[in-house]
Amino acid sequence: MNDRGESPDPADRLLVLLGGKWVAAAISAAASLGIADALGPGPLRLEELAARTRCQPQALERLMRVLVGEDLVREESGVGYALTEMGALLARGRLGELATFVGSPFSWDPWSALADSVRSGESAFAKRHGLPLFDYLDHHGDQADLYHAAIDAFSKREARALAEAFDFSPVSRVADIGGGRGTLLIEVLSRWPHLEGVLVERPAAAEQARAALARAGLDQRCDTRVGDFFESVPGDVEVCILMHIIHSWDDPTSIDLLDRCRQAVGPDGTVLVVEGLVVPDGRRDLTNLLDLEMLVLCGPGHERRKPEMRRLFSAAGLKLERAVPLTAGVR
Ligand SMILES: C[S@@+](CC[C@H](N)C(=O)[O-])C[C@H]1O[C@@H](n2cnc3c(N)ncnc32)[C@H](O)[C@@H]1O
């Protein structure tokens, strides 16, 4: 074994990597079956867990074996299955929605055409489903719910970190452009009680954002606008945030959007871009995987290195002042 606990035999390591497909599918199935939710209150024996999750016990046992091997579940003799700290994250409201989305057919199927996307540079999602991602979501409410729930789960940590890391004290009004269901503004407005927000979104997400902000008691401080951010960006703000937005678009489109944000905030304003940066060396890094997800979902949309980001900013008349890591990063 090497110091990462891997076999020195390259064939063994390759087989383990290929098995990643089955591991991701097993984790996603566990999330969609609600295994972490069922085990949340305490350990359960196989039969009880099977009854609660409406699974066939022998088939469930086979899934549980894989989850035990991946350190998501522990099997305790005489007690049954219990969640590990990582397994508890598969519950709904934590990362469960993201795990469910990963294995759901509408997001999983296009990955079988990754090689086509690499050949053409075009979105396998659009080819498979006949529409670009966001147009498809406009017409498929159930899948849009899955998608937005997954993005919320993914974004929550970064939203919290941004609310802490950026000093909003001199700011009175902030815009979240393509703000999804309000996850970021809920964190930011809760952390900075003097601040007002404006969120721009497509109709269905805007409606859900409005409801989420109301549930958080923040609707009086946030103006949720239905709109196309390529047509208008609200002008009455000092800070514009683009979180997980420009990686969906090619360079000219991203420059156009950054330029609109620059004009919206005026000469003393700030544009905050929250996104992964491609690391300069060949390290294993989650951003490289997200970059392939962008290729599959959005075609020319891509993650960028810091110098590419700097060029993009400069082409939009902005200066990249600083890049701040919000989370420790995933390797
Ligand atoms: C990857 S999600 C990011 C959501 C949110 N910023 C976050 O990070 O949690 C991209 C968002 O952009 C929205 N969007 C895409 N095209 C848009 C457009 N032309 N105008 C407004 N919103 C758009 C989508 O509906 C989606 O919610």
Side-chain angles (χ1 to χ4, degrees):
M1 295 289 160
N2 67 16
D3 53 8
R4 276 157 63 163
E6 295 163 337
S7 162
D9 182 336
D12 285 346
R13 283 173 23 226
L14 183 58
L15 290 174
V16 168
L17 289 177
L18 288 170
K21 169 192 172 180
W22 298 314
V23 174
I27 295 172
S28 182
S32 67
L33 290 167
I35 286 174
D37 306 282
L39 292 178
L44 292 174
R45 291 178 201 280
L46 178 67
E47 290 68 25
E48 182 61 24
L49 181 61
R52 296 226 188 146
T53 54
R54 287 198 238 120
C55 291
Q56 199 257 347
Q58 288 73 32
L60 178 61
E61 188 176 22
R62 293 157 73 181
L63 176 65
M64 298 308 285
R65 212 177 288 148
V66 172
L67 301 181
V68 169
E70 298 302 327
D71 190 31
L72 292 151
V73 170
R74 274 190 316 275
E75 193 173 5
E76 296 173 0
S77 84
V79 177
Y81 296 110
L83 293 173
T84 62
E85 192 182 349
M86 181 164 63
L89 294 174
L90 286 181
R92 283 181 232 288
R94 302 192 78 187
L95 291 175
E97 286 84 352
L98 179 63
T100 300
F101 166 78
V102 165
S104 64
F106 92 103
S107 80
W108 180 278
D109 291 356
W111 270 85
S112 65
L114 174 61
D116 291 343
S117 272
V118 173
R119 266 190 215 104
S120 66
E122 286 169 12
S123 158
F125 182 97
K127 197 159 181 206
R128 170 77 178 74
H129 295 300
L131 282 173
L133 173 67
F134 296 116
D135 295 332
Y136 174 90
L137 295 178
D138 285 346
H139 293 94
H140 296 82
D142 288 350
Q143 279 90 341
D145 282 345
L146 272 174
Y147 172 82
H148 285 294
I151 299 286
D152 288 348
F154 184 75
S155 296
K156 213 178 285 171
R157 250 180 3 141
E158 286 175 359
R160 206 161 286 162
L162 178 70
E164 283 304 320
F166 188 79
D167 179 10
F168 284 95
S169 56
V171 179
S172 60
R173 204 164 150 84
V174 54
D176 189 6
I177 308 302
R181 302 198 303 189
T183 301
L184 175 62
L185 276 185
I186 288 173
E187 291 296 334
V188 170
L189 297 184
S190 303
R191 167 71 180 78
W192 300 91
H194 71 284
L195 199 60
E196 294 199 333
V198 45
L199 183 148
V200 181
E201 252 299 343
R202 297 167 87 104
E207 194 180 310
Q208 294 182 348
R210 214 170 269 135
L213 284 151
R215 281 195 301 278
L218 295 167
D219 46 333
Q220 299 302 313
R221 289 170 49 211
C222 187
D223 172 9
T224 301
R225 298 185 189 171
V226 173
D228 178 347
F229 53 47
F230 292 121
E231 285 174 6
S232 85
V233 168
D236 46 353
V237 295
E238 300 115 280
V239 173
C240 252
I241 308 178
L242 293 163
M243 174 148 148
H244 306 136
I245 299 295
I246 60 170
H247 68 174
S248 299
W249 307 97
D250 63 14
D251 287 358
T253 314
S254 301
I255 291 167
D256 176 49
L257 188 53
L258 285 167
D259 187 41
R260 285 170 188 280
C261 292
R262 177 186 62 77
Q263 292 177 42
V265 297
D268 300 323
T270 302
V271 178
L272 292 176
V273 171
V274 183
E275 222 152 83
L277 279 179
V278 173
V279 291
D281 51 31
R283 261 178 294 157
R284 177 191 277 175
D285 188 275
L286 186 67
T287 305
N288 294 331
L289 299 176
L290 273 178
D291 187 41
L292 283 189
E293 174 82 337
M294 289 305 121
L295 174 61
V296 168
L297 291 182
C298 302
H302 61 110
E303 306 291 347
R304 295 172 171 95
R305 295 185 174 85
K306 194 168 167 188
E308 291 174 281
M309 208 58 113
R310 184 171 282 122
R311 277 198 295 276
L312 219 60
F313 271 59
S314 153
L318 289 161
K319 181 162 168 257
L320 177 55
E321 291 270 350
R322 56 195 176 116
V324 179
L326 289 179
T327 54
V330 185
R331 310 248 131 80

